[in-house]
């Protein structure tokens, strides 16, 4: 096992993802497939998250942030603690590797509060600085269920979810799983990162440019997503 903080020398298995065969799914198909595979999962799953900005219209606390209601956003995040704890009692935990750039974007500032709550609820997350993965770019957004099953999560130009690609080629998936696991071992616990780098920040500044895309994300399903 890699000791935390020890750099791991890696080739770039992520380069094979773009050319891998896979079933492309729209958002409903991806969410249904994801839920089905997560329910059947018998071992912890892994998530690699690289982009610094996403749009999350189904999350009330994200909408509160976009409305400039930061204190309300934080209150809604803390209210997720109980449901998250219950959820991860019933499902395999998600081990998330979160790449972070500096300065921290408004989205990432918001998400780090959620990831700290998730970690306390039983879903571990570790943070890795972007410079550590510079030699592996461009990194895909991945959810890995097993050595032979993963999804590449797909996004539109704004960072809104547009579906996923289900990949079952073990020669592609297993090296990605090994790499994410190794990088996870280098990362810092999100709760420590959150306390040091995020908690002291002032409320995020939401620009007119960020709000300009909101009409395209007007749906509000209130569905919980992992």
């Amino acid at each position: 096992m890699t000791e935390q903080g020890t750099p791991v020398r890696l080739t770039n298995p992520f380069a094979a993802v773009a050319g891998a065969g896979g079933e492309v799914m729209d958002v409903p198909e991806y969410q249904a497939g994801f839920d089905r595979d997560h329910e059947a999962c018998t071992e912890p799953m892994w998530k690699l998250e690289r982009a610094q900005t996403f749009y999350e219209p189904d999350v009330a606390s994200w909408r509160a942030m976009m409305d400039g209601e930061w204190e309300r956003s934080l209150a809604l995040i803390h209210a997720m603690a109980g449901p998250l704890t219950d959820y991860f009692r019933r499902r395999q935990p998600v081990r998330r590797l979160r790449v972070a750039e500096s300065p921290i974007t408004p989205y990432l500032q918001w998400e780090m509060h959620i990831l700290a709550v998730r970690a306390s609820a039983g879903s571990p997350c570790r943070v890795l600085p972007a410079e550590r993965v510079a030699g592996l770019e461009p990194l895909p957004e991945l959810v890995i269920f097993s050595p032979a099953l993963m999804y590449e999560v797909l996004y539109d130009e704004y960072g809104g979810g547009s579906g996923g690609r289900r990949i079952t080629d073990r020669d592609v998936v297993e090296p990605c799983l090994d790499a994410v696991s190794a990088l996870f071992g280098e990362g810092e616990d999100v709760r420590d990162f959150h306390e040091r780098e995020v908690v002291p920040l002032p409320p995020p500044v939401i620009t007119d440019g960020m709000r300009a895309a909101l009409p395209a994300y007007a749906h509000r399903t209130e569905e919980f997503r992992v």
Side-chain angles (χ1 to χ4, degrees):
M1 178 178 292
T2 303
E3 183 179 353
Q4 184 175 345
T6 302
V8 178
R9 296 186 181 275
L10 299 171
T11 56
N12 187 1
F14 304 112
V17 174
E23 179 185 0
V24 178
M25 302 174 167
D26 62 18
V27 173
E29 291 169 335
Y30 164 66
Q31 291 180 347
F34 179 100
D35 289 343
R36 182 174 58 250
D37 289 328
H38 193 194
E39 187 171 359
C41 194
T42 59
E43 55 191 82
M45 53 186 282
W46 298 81
K47 187 164 188 177
L48 171 62
E49 199 168 40
R50 171 63 181 91
Q52 303 298 289
T53 299
F54 294 113
Y55 272 63
E56 301 275 6
D58 294 334
V59 184
S61 61
W62 179 86
R63 298 197 307 267
M65 177 193 68
M66 294 295 284
D67 289 339
E69 300 177 4
W70 184 236
E71 292 303 319
R72 179 168 175 267
S73 177
L74 293 178
L76 288 167
I77 289 172
H78 290 303
M80 296 170 66
L84 281 166
T85 300
D86 180 64
Y87 182 87
F88 288 115
R89 284 196 191 105
R90 296 179 285 108
R91 296 285 181 91
Q92 286 291 333
V94 180
R95 293 176 178 169
R96 185 185 310 246
L97 176 65
R98 200 6 161 154
V99 176
E101 294 180 11
S102 182
I104 293 173
T105 63
Y107 175 85
L108 193 60
Q109 180 179 349
W110 168 79
E111 188 192 36
M112 284 294 175
H113 286 280
I114 289 186
L115 296 182
V117 170
R118 288 178 187 265
S120 295
S123 184
C125 174
R126 290 185 179 174
V127 181
L128 206 61
E131 54 266 27
R132 173 60 189 91
V133 297
L136 302 173
E137 301 281 19
L139 282 178
E141 309 289 327
L142 299 177
V143 179
I144 308 174
F145 286 94
S146 75
L149 173 61
M150 75 179 179
Y151 288 85
E152 179 186 12
V153 190
L154 305 177
Y155 296 91
D156 64 20
E157 61 182 307
Y158 299 108
S162 60
R165 196 158 61 95
R166 193 175 192 269
I167 300 170
T168 57
D169 183 343
R170 191 181 188 106
D171 290 340
V172 174
V173 178
E174 189 166 21
C176 288
L177 172 57
D178 291 342
V180 171
S181 175
L183 290 167
F184 184 88
E186 288 188 42
E188 178 182 14
D189 189 294
V190 70
R191 289 167 291 189
D192 296 332
F193 182 91
H194 168 260
E195 189 68 27
R196 186 185 67 253
E197 302 289 342
V198 178
V199 171
L201 294 175
V205 176
I206 308 303
T207 67
D208 290 341
M210 293 168 64
R211 290 194 177 101
L214 284 174
Y217 300 95
H219 62 287
R220 299 185 174 191
T221 67
E222 306 299 344
E223 291 182 358
F224 168 75
R225 312 301 308 171
V226 300

